[in-house]
């Protein structure tokens, strides 16, 4: 997760579609989440839960660094929006491995990260296509 400071507060965006009523909360950023999630991601990498490619990259690093923070992903096939950690492993030479996710709804496409940092991106409603409106925000750490 690319943030100027991995200990910045995170932001929860509560969204709603005015046309069809779809609503969802999205947590973006890091907050103290930045202390806990890389450790959990590292355990998931080593156990093989996140797949063989990321484990192989991690194991080949002398001093791997795991970065993680909440992000918004969209499925290019079914349009579903998912709010999951972006996980990056960096090696000592600056090479990076960015973990990719398969859509948990349709299982037909890799998710695409939308936006950057803790700024909420303009998103179409996954049900009807209208622009989602942010109806409330709250900071978290």
């Amino acid at each position: 997760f690319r943030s100027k400071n991995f200990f910045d507060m995170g932001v929860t965006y509560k969204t709603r579609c005015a046309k069809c009523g779809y609503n969802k909360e999205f947590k973006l950023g890091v907050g103290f989440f930045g202390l806990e999630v890389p450790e959990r991601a590292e355990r998931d990498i080593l156990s093989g839960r996140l797949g063989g490619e990321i484990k192989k990259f991690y194991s080949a690093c002398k001093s791997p660094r795991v970065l993680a923070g909440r992000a918004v992903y969209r499925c290019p096939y079914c349009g579903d929006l998912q709010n999951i950690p972006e996980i990056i492993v960096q090696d000592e030479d600056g090479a990076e491995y960015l973990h990719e996710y398969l859509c948990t709804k349709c299982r037909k496409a890799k998710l695409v990260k939308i936006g950057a940092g803790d700024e909420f991106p303009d998103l179409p409603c996954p049900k009807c296509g209208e622009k989602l409106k942010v109806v409330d925000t709250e900071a978290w750490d």
Side-chain angles (χ1 to χ4, degrees):
F1 184 80
R2 298 192 186 352
S3 173
K4 291 179 186 170
N5 180 352
F6 276 85
F7 304 103
D8 289 344
M9 291 183 79
V11 180
T12 298
Y13 293 91
K14 297 176 182 182
T15 64
R16 182 167 180 80
C17 176
K19 183 176 178 182
C20 73
Y22 172 89
N23 63 72
K24 187 167 184 167
E25 286 186 10
F26 296 94
K27 290 184 181 286
L28 302 181
V30 181
F32 289 119
F33 185 69
L35 298 172
E36 173 190 329
V37 171
E39 291 175 6
R40 187 175 16 185
E42 192 167 26
R43 286 192 307 266
D44 287 347
I45 290 167
L46 291 171
S47 73
R49 184 173 175 271
L50 296 179
E53 287 183 41
I54 193 169
K55 183 176 181 180
K56 183 177 178 182
F57 183 88
Y58 180 94
S59 298
C61 298
K62 290 180 201 168
S63 302
R65 181 177 180 207
V66 178
L67 308 174
R70 286 273 183 196
V72 177
Y73 288 82
R74 183 176 189 84
C75 177
Y77 184 81
C78 71
D80 191 47
L81 297 173
Q82 298 180 23
N83 188 204
I84 50 182
E86 175 182 32
I87 299 173
I88 300 169
V89 177
Q90 293 178 333
D91 76 5
E92 55 282 348
D93 298 324
E96 293 183 339
Y97 181 95
L98 173 62
H99 180 62
E100 295 181 321
Y101 293 94
L102 186 64
C103 178
T104 58
K105 183 177 180 183
C106 72
R107 313 281 301 159
K108 294 184 180 189
K110 289 182 181 176
L111 297 174
V112 176
K113 183 180 170 207
I114 307 294
D118 60 5
E119 297 286 323
F120 192 77
D122 285 338
L123 295 172
C125 174
K127 287 189 174 183
C128 72
E130 285 291 313
K131 182 181 172 188
L132 288 178
K133 296 191 186 293
V134 174
V135 295
D136 195 14
T137 60
E138 58 185 47
W140 56 275
D141 59 9

